[in-house]
Amino acid sequence: MMKKIALGSLASVLFLAGCGGEQDVVGADDPKNLILATQLDENSPYAIGFRAFKEAIEEESDGAITAELHTNGTLGSNEDTLLQSIATGGVDITVVSPGFMTQVQREVDLFSMPYLFTSYEHWLRVVDGEVGDEMSNLVEEETNLQVLGYWSAGVRQYYGFEPVNEVEDLRNVSIRTQDSPGIQDSWSALGALPVGVAWGEMYQALQNRVVDASENDFTNVYQSSHHEVTPYISLTDHDFTTRFFLTSDVVMERFTEEEQEMIERAAEQATISAREADLDLAESSLERLVEEGAIINEVDIEPFIEQTEPVRARIAEELDAMELFHAIRDLADEEL
């Protein structure tokens, strides 16, 4: 099927202007070599998933297909750059968040909405079921990208100079959030003041009280040492995160149908390993946070869910994704 946006058009949307000349493509001399890249370090769940993919594909293909792994941002220091690199062939497979995917497919931003998912089990039912299949189909019909699997990046929590126990505690609190209208509007609905700060500048921003708070998963909070400045972590459980494990049509077309099936099976193994590593790292990070003085408090999140519900409904309608939104809600009701 001819995609509505050709890869060349996608590149023109994603890439900065003024990039002339031919691209130096890593591994271009070996079309059976796959380049996997992430901005995260070699101990991250992404890297663990990549290693599982490499082991699976090289074993199943008897070495006919190889995988080359790049971590620590060596082929791109952020997800935006890595997504662009898939468009130009510098990277074959990567992992990106919904916020960056909206550049090419707007409906995926639904997955970034706070309180869309009620639990990790609910998230699994969504991404591993018909809704996940439909979202993948939307991406693949509208772009030349292919979704190999859904990965996670922990459960995002609130942390700041003071604990949050009820919605009123967020009134006029400046909080660093991701750059997404749905996310920012959700925090505004709770009375907070969302602001944009680059992640690499967050420690200093908290230390200098440029912002009062932030939100992220246990692993990122611990690895960035933000608990040294803002010790209160409130379990708001507002985002069971979704990440897209991606390749492109151009990449897959280098392989036979049988080899494509091998890649898909290897991607399944990678997804299992990455998810397990993400859960394990979150647990160990929480333990270390507590050991190093972080103060954890439970939160009754029902009032937070109720107050942000109009935002979710509005954003779903604006994204023309109401059918997906209701399907996700129905899957949450299975827990009742």
Side-chain angles (χ1 to χ4, degrees):
M1 178 184 296
M2 180 64 70
K3 304 295 176 69
K4 295 183 180 178
I5 301 179
L7 191 60
S9 299
L10 176 61
S12 69
V13 172
L14 294 179
F15 253 69
L16 297 174
C19 297
E22 294 183 0
Q23 293 288 330
D24 292 327
V25 180
V26 181
D29 293 336
D30 183 1
K32 300 298 185 182
N33 182 53
L34 290 163
I35 307 300
L36 287 75
T38 177
Q39 79 281 10
L40 302 184
D41 66 45
E42 65 274 8
N43 297 314
S44 67
Y46 292 4
I48 292 171
F50 284 1
R51 289 194 288 271
F53 179 90
K54 176 180 174 66
E55 180 179 351
I57 194 61
E58 293 182 355
E59 179 179 351
E60 185 159 355
S61 69
D62 291 326
I65 304 173
T66 57
E68 184 177 320
L69 313 183
H70 294 264
T71 59
N72 297 87
T74 56
L75 293 186
S77 59
N78 57 62
E79 294 176 11
D80 190 24
T81 301
L82 291 169
L83 185 60
Q84 294 173 15
S85 293
I86 280 193
T88 57
V91 169
D92 296 321
I93 299 176
T94 191
V95 185
V96 300
S97 60
F100 290 102
M101 286 290 292
T102 57
Q103 299 173 78
V104 292
Q105 181 61 39
R106 61 196 298 268
E107 287 93 337
V108 299
D109 203 30
L110 183 65
F111 279 179
S112 67
M113 287 297 301
Y115 294 115
L116 179 69
F117 303 111
T118 59
S119 68
Y120 185 71
E121 291 71 27
H122 178 211
W123 179 80
L124 286 175
R125 287 197 297 275
V126 170
V127 298
D128 289 344
E130 293 182 1
V131 174
D133 289 342
E134 185 170 350
M135 186 66 78
S136 295
N137 290 337
L138 284 172
V139 171
E140 293 167 8
E141 288 171 2
E142 298 292 333
T143 76
N144 272 48
L145 297 172
Q146 290 192 26
V147 180
L148 294 172
Y150 290 99
W151 292 14
S152 182
V155 184
R156 297 176 81 96
Q157 315 288 355
Y158 172 96
Y159 60 97
F161 292 99
E162 300 291 338
V164 162
N165 293 296
E166 54 189 25
V167 172
E168 184 62 29
D169 294 334
L170 286 170
R171 184 173 298 277
N172 294 326
V173 172
S174 61
I175 178 172
R176 183 267 183 187
T177 70
Q178 295 170 286
D179 186 18
S180 162
I183 293 174
Q184 293 175 341
D185 289 354
S186 294
W187 286 103
S188 295
L190 294 169
L193 305 174
V195 297
V197 178
W199 180 248
E201 300 172 3
M202 270 304 298
Y203 189 97
Q204 187 174 6
L206 290 167
Q207 192 173 46
N208 295 334
R209 294 301 291 261
V210 175
V211 292
D212 300 316
S214 185
E215 51 84 40
N216 219 307
D217 66 288
F218 294 134
T219 301
N220 270 310
V221 175
Y222 178 72
Q223 292 181 345
S224 61
S225 301
H226 290 180
H227 60 293
E228 296 176 355
V229 186
T230 52
Y232 291 99
I233 301 177
S234 302
L235 302 184
T236 48
D237 286 347
H238 56 271
D239 185 8
F240 291 84
T241 57
T242 305
R243 299 293 181 264
F244 291 82
F245 186 40
L246 293 171
T247 188
S248 75
D249 289 351
V250 172
V251 172
M252 295 297 273
E253 287 166 1
R254 298 186 340 225
F255 300 91
T256 66
E257 184 174 339
E258 182 181 3
E259 289 171 334
Q260 290 179 20
E261 291 174 356
M262 292 180 186
I263 291 171
E264 290 168 358
R265 288 194 293 271
E268 291 175 4
Q269 290 301 312
T271 297
I272 292 170
S273 295
R275 289 179 183 180
E276 289 177 349
D278 183 64
L279 292 172
D280 290 343
L281 192 56
E283 183 177 354
S284 62
S285 295
L286 176 57
E287 291 174 357
R288 294 190 180 105
L289 283 166
V290 172
E291 289 171 359
E292 296 182 15
I295 304 166
I296 312 295
N297 67 289
E298 299 279 349
V299 180
D300 177 9
I301 64 174
E302 287 304 317
F304 294 75
I305 295 173
E306 292 175 7
Q307 195 148 328
T308 55
E309 176 63 14
V311 178
R312 285 188 293 282
R314 174 175 58 80
I315 294 295
E317 186 170 5
E318 290 176 357
L319 294 173
D320 195 23
M322 286 301 293
E323 186 174 342
L324 284 173
F325 178 62
H326 288 304
I328 292 170
R329 293 290 301 274
D330 290 343
L331 288 169
D333 292 340
E334 291 185 11
E335 298 179 358
L336 300 179

